């Protein structure tokens, strides 16, 4: 049995035990959200990100698409970063307050404070607004994580926020999340 099946079995068993024990009120079953699935037509999970999306190419954002967001999602936030950077995690993209009906981002999202639907962009580690592509020092490939969060609220955060600001605002509001990881090795 996989881990998810073990958890579901344990929840069902606990429900039966509580019902058999004469609990005063029946407890509603816990709703478990599936993780959000993120894909890109530019690269697959764990595969190299094309140079077009890096500092050695056009430095434009890759197209992203997602499914399995909870029905009660009020907004999405996206954080793209590189945990392999020599000076600590390097932030490549912060996007937040994406409308709940958003299921994809096109290639080459504008590097402006606001994008379609009044979504906002934060500062990357350069520090600039919008997407900044992979640009590791020569050597081994780095990993780049595109992490999407479904939130139960819109965030009270102005454009130009830092990752720290965004994470603080998201605290306690994440309904579900998913990630897509690609790699890049500088030529």
């Amino acid at each position: 049995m996989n881990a998810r099946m073990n958890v579901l079995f344990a929840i069902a068993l606990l429900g039966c035990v509580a019902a058999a024990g004469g609990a005063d009120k029946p407890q509603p079953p816990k709703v478990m959200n599936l993780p959000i699935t993120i894909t890109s037509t530019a690269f697959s999970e764990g595969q190299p990100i094309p140079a077009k999306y890096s500092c050695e190419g056009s430095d434009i954002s890759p197209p992203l698409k997602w499914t399995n967001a909870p029905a009660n999602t009020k907004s999405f936030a996206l954080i793209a970063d590189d945990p392999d950077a020599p000076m600590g995690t390097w932030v490549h993209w912060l996007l937040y307050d994406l409308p709940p009906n958003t299921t994809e981002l096109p290639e080459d999202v504008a590097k402006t404070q606001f994008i379609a639907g009044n979504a906002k962009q934060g500062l990357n580690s350069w520090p600039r607004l919008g997407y900044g592509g992979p640009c590791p020092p020569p050597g081994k490939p780095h990993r780049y994580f595109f992490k999407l969060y479904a939130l139960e609220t819109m965030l009270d955060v102005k454009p130009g926020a830092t990752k720290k600001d965004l994470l603080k605002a998201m605290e306690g509001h994440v309904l579900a999340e998913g990630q897509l990881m690609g790699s890049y090795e500088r030529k």
Side-chain angles (χ1 to χ4, degrees):
M1 248 194 247
N2 65 31
R4 184 180 294 168
M5 292 299 291
N6 284 339
V7 170
L8 292 174
F9 179 76
I11 290 170
L13 184 60
L14 286 173
C16 291
V17 169
D24 291 43
K25 293 184 192 174
Q27 298 297 313
K30 292 192 180 233
V31 176
M32 295 179 61
N33 290 317
L34 295 172
I36 297 172
T37 303
I38 305 172
T39 58
S40 178
T41 55
F43 64 97
S44 299
E45 173 67 28
Q47 297 301 306
I49 298 170
K52 174 181 184 178
Y53 306 105
S54 78
C55 68
E56 296 182 297
S58 301
D59 203 24
I60 60 174
S61 60
L64 299 172
K65 189 176 227 174
W66 55 89
T67 57
N68 293 340
N72 55 337
T73 299
K74 299 289 188 256
S75 71
F76 292 102
L78 176 79
I79 298 174
D81 57 21
D82 168 10
D84 302 324
M87 301 175 86
T89 300
W90 191 266
V91 177
H92 287 265
W93 199 10
L94 297 176
L95 217 117
Y96 42 99
D97 285 344
L98 283 160
N101 60 343
T102 307
T103 58
E104 62 186 306
L105 292 169
E107 179 179 84
D108 196 14
V109 171
K111 296 176 183 184
T112 56
Q113 287 186 357
F114 296 95
I115 63 166
N118 285 325
K120 302 167 191 146
Q121 295 196 82
L123 295 176
N124 55 39
S125 289
W126 277 280
R128 299 185 310 245
L129 277 175
Y131 177 81
C135 199
K140 70 176 194 158
H142 284 210
R143 297 167 300 150
Y144 297 86
F145 292 88
F146 293 80
K147 298 172 278 194
L148 186 76
Y149 302 89
L151 306 173
E152 65 180 359
T153 188
M154 296 289 282
L155 300 176
D156 186 24
V157 178
K158 296 184 185 314
T162 64
K163 180 180 174 183
K164 182 179 176 182
D165 297 332
L166 183 55
L167 289 173
K168 184 174 181 187
M170 289 171 34
E171 209 169 276
H173 299 294
V174 177
L175 298 170
E177 60 188 88
Q179 72 179 24
L180 173 64
M181 188 274 289
S183 64
Y184 190 78
E185 181 177 359
R186 197 155 179 192
K187 307 298 178 225

